[in-house]
Amino acid sequence: MQFSAFVFDAYGTLFDVHAAVRRHAGAIGSDGQVLSEIWRAKQLEYSWISTLMGQHVDFWTLTERALDFALKKVPSVDPAHREALLEAYWHLDCYPEVPAVLKALKAAGARLAILSNGSMPMLEAAVRSAALDSVLDDVLSVDLAGKFKTDPAVYDLVTTTWRIYPNAVSFQSSNRWDIAGAALYGFRTVWINRTQQPNEYTDFPPDLILPSLKGLITAS
């Protein structure tokens, strides 16, 4: 492999952020997907605003606030589902190919880490639930930087923790804005475009675009 250090975004890249709502789809009803999309959009918006304002807030708190907004925005969904949805978010499903890809990279001698907006308790719960703890070398939360992505201080957590140069790191994310931030920082970037989104942030292009993590091994 050309790269021996692989860093992964967590939510949307390794873990399916819509799994929490889908797990309760029968009870929630037909507007569940709309609710889930608003929940995710506001969660990210709150993280960006938090960093711009210079006031870091725990990602779990932002997740709760985002769900509260989504429930008000989609009144057809009974707010009584709030606690069940939040509980499900601690145990999100990982995408089907994730365990096999990470194990193959690990077997080939690669170092593997998560770099995520998530708080450490959230990430530890998700990693344990997906049984990925045995293949990951590090789980890095933005809490260590006191800022959210795409602040350079977040990506700096990888290079300072592992004592390597940015261009030695292959960074994978499903979020195009995250890829832009990582590219500007100097990582080799792989955009996992799971939902066939149009390309944007063209000043900071990804080095590689894949529909899932499956192609990562042969492309590395």
Side-chain angles (χ1 to χ4, degrees):
M1 294 185 299
Q2 181 183 355
F3 290 85
S4 58
F6 290 81
V7 178
F8 300 84
D9 169 62
Y11 299 111
T13 304
L14 299 181
F15 307 113
D16 185 352
V17 295
H18 299 296
V21 171
R22 194 164 53 246
R23 194 169 300 172
H24 298 280
I28 289 174
S30 59
D31 287 335
Q33 184 60 33
V34 174
L35 178 82
S36 190
E37 290 174 358
I38 294 173
W39 185 7
R40 174 61 170 168
K42 296 304 288 189
Q43 180 194 51
L44 293 175
E45 178 188 328
Y46 291 162
S47 73
W48 298 328
I49 296 301
S50 171
T51 294
L52 287 170
M53 293 176 65
Q55 294 187 330
H56 187 69
V57 181
D58 180 271
F59 197 61
W60 181 246
T61 299
L62 299 186
T63 300
E64 292 178 309
R65 292 176 182 174
L67 177 57
D68 290 338
F69 176 89
L71 287 169
K72 291 175 182 176
K73 189 73 174 178
V74 188
S76 60
V77 178
D78 190 340
H81 295 300
R82 180 182 187 273
E83 295 308 315
L85 289 171
L86 290 173
E87 175 60 27
Y89 207 92
W90 286 86
H91 309 285
L92 295 175
D93 299 329
C94 68
Y95 289 99
E97 83 279 7
V98 168
V101 170
L102 295 191
K103 288 176 182 176
L105 289 171
K106 187 70 173 179
R111 298 173 72 183
L112 308 178
I114 282 175
L115 178 67
S116 172
N117 277 343
S119 64
M120 278 306 298
M122 293 174 68
L123 294 171
E124 288 170 351
V127 167
R128 283 196 305 269
S129 182
L132 298 179
D133 43 336
S134 62
V135 294
L136 291 167
D137 296 290
D138 281 297
V139 177
L140 302 174
S141 166
V142 298
D143 289 347
L144 295 168
K147 299 176 181 180
F148 290 105
K149 297 175 181 177
T150 55
D151 193 285
V154 174
Y155 306 109
D156 206 35
L157 292 173
V158 175
T159 55
T160 56
T161 298
W162 282 357
R163 297 183 181 276
I164 56 177
Y165 291 107
N167 61 10
V169 175
S170 179
F171 179 77
Q172 291 66 227
S173 180
S174 65
N175 302 299
R176 184 61 182 89
W177 50 268
D178 192 10
I179 289 295
L184 177 62
Y185 184 75
F187 289 157
R188 188 282 284 262
T189 54
V190 182
W191 180 27
I192 309 302
N193 189 7
R194 294 186 181 277
T195 56
Q196 299 181 328
Q197 295 297 308
N199 195 11
E200 53 185 339
Y201 308 107
T202 52
D203 289 344
F204 307 103
D207 293 289
L208 184 64
I209 302 175
L210 297 173
S212 76
L213 290 175
K214 284 183 179 179
L216 188 58
I217 300 171
T218 55
S220 299

